[in-house]
Amino acid sequence: QVQLGESGGGLVQAGDSLRLSCAASGGRLSDSAMAWFRQGRGEEREFAAIISDDGGSTYYDDFVKGRFTISRDNYKNTVALQMNSLKPEDTAVYYCALSSSRRPLDFRRTSVYSLWGKGTQVTVYS
């Protein structure tokens, strides 16, 4: 059974950086697009970034563009989210998600992802 596990969250000050990592066990990620979502308190899960199976294509939500960078290492079977210039509004639980498609068309919707991690908490204070 393939499982995803996120790590790297924490409590940081506004303007600081964090690097989140998502590692797969029990299978490989190389045939799947991978995405990061986030969910604040009382909010729906929100798309943040996606990367294609080979890492050749990425797309970011506007509110993280220019600050966050998604990357993957298929050899290590991991996907990362480098978060710079963090803001208090970035506070959320961050989830990695796996799609069976190499690049799903409706990648902003949670329904296109077949597997999710349990999330890692990111808290940004001012």
Side-chain angles (χ1 to χ4, degrees):
Q1 179 71 27
V2 179
Q3 291 183 316
L4 302 177
E6 301 97 337
S7 62
L11 176 66
V12 297
Q13 191 172 22
D16 285 354
S17 298
L18 282 174
R19 186 176 180 86
L20 307 183
S21 182
C22 176
S25 60
R28 62 185 179 92
L29 304 177
S30 59
D31 60 346
S32 302
M34 296 290 297
W36 286 95
F37 283 72
R38 69 186 191 183
Q39 186 169 16
R41 291 181 178 177
E43 300 179 355
E44 295 184 350
R45 198 162 297 186
E46 179 183 32
F47 169 81
I50 190 170
I51 187 166
S52 59
D53 60 332
D54 61 356
S57 299
T58 59
Y59 186 82
Y60 301 90
D61 189 270
D62 287 341
F63 72 89
V64 303
K65 190 178 298 182
R67 298 188 297 122
F68 293 6
T69 302
I70 188 171
S71 62
R72 69 191 300 157
D73 188 336
N74 286 341
Y75 179 76
K76 295 181 178 179
N77 221 24
T78 59
V79 60
L81 186 68
Q82 177 66 43
M83 304 185 295
N84 299 327
S85 302
L86 284 164
K87 305 174 182 179
E89 51 262 45
D90 295 320
T91 295
V93 177
Y94 284 73
Y95 301 87
C96 66
L98 177 149
S99 173
S100 59
S101 300
R102 291 179 172 85
R103 188 174 182 179
L105 295 177
D106 299 326
F107 54 82
R108 291 182 177 272
R109 293 181 167 85
T110 60
S111 60
V112 307
Y113 299 93
S114 59
L115 186 66
W116 297 82
K118 292 185 177 181
T120 185
Q121 176 70 49
V122 172
T123 303
V124 185
Y125 64 92
S126 60

